[in-house]
Amino acid sequence: MTVYGNFPGSRPRRLRTTPAMRRMVAETRLDPANLILPAFVREGIDTPVAISAMPGVQQHTLDTLRKAAVEAVSAGVSGIMLFGVPTDEKKDARGTAGTDPDGILQVALRAVREEVGDDLVVMSDLCLDEYTDHGHCGVLTAEGRVDNDATLERYAEMAQVQADAGAHVVGPSGMMDGQVGVVRDALDQTGHEDVSILAYTAKYSSAFYGPFREAVGSSLKGDRKTYQQDPANARESLRELALDLEEGADMVMVKPAGPYLDILAKVADSVDVPVAAYQISGEYAMIEAAAEKGWIDRDAAIMESLTGIRRAGAQMILTYWATEVAQRLGRA
């Protein structure tokens, strides 16, 4: 055997020799507290409805939603983000079911708070798209364009009813200009100063939302490119970030997560507030579909994808695997 002095003098592989060694020196750690469970609750059903494009995810009844919340608490998950799915006949041009105190989302918020109290951070999606018959995130003009300022008035109403129903956190997700400031004012003026805002700061117009359309029974025709961000743009996200912080955002989010890790890293490096990322339906569906085909190791791919999001700077990750992964981490 030929010896070349001390070459190689540095051997990084020494720190990869055993599972215990790799665990000890790991730079990034996932914890159940990092995870938030998105959940759908559908009006007018007696049994859960499977979402075909998202194997393992369902539209909940109020009873199964309560059980899912309790299971999340037991696993150590930090939060649950609720999305309401009204019956089609309750959809209209202004999304009035979204501001009805007895609308499905408000009923679900009260049910979950009654079940878990403050043991889980109960979050609500603050947007009109689930409740409008045209499927857009706001009120339309006569020409069919989303009217930014008229939509903000509706968001202010939504913030109040969601907070009244028990939301700890509201998540304005429509990407309207000024939405965080209007929601903050609405909350403060109605005695909800303690309700936090998770700003959907960088929400991109993405092909990966496809399965979500089924999950919420979307009525959307066309696209949302006039208000969601262009995937080609990065600096724009930092402008949105500055505006959201100025308007009073308590937490900020990048959505989707996986295709936008560069944006997530930029945001995380720029702020001193908590940063979230949403691993969306298409990201979930790709891994589940490839695993079902036997092309990838499902469990390893899930953990790798979440670790990558965490490594890029997300302190909180919204993922449909939240409870499953939290249980796995608890057994580790």
Side-chain angles (χ1 to χ4, degrees), residues 110-129:
R110 289 193 290 269
V112 172
R113 282 299 304 274
E114 180 182 315
E115 192 69 36
V116 300
D118 293 333
D119 292 340
L120 195 64
V121 179
V122 180
M123 306 177 169
S124 56
D125 178 60
L126 199 162
C127 197
L128 290 171
D129 59 322

Side-chain angles (χ1 to χ4, degrees), residues 43 90 97 99-107 110:
E43 189 172 29
K90 290 190 178 178
T99 50
D100 180 352
D102 294 319
I104 182 59
L105 180 54
Q106 285 67 253
V107 172
R110 289 193 290 269

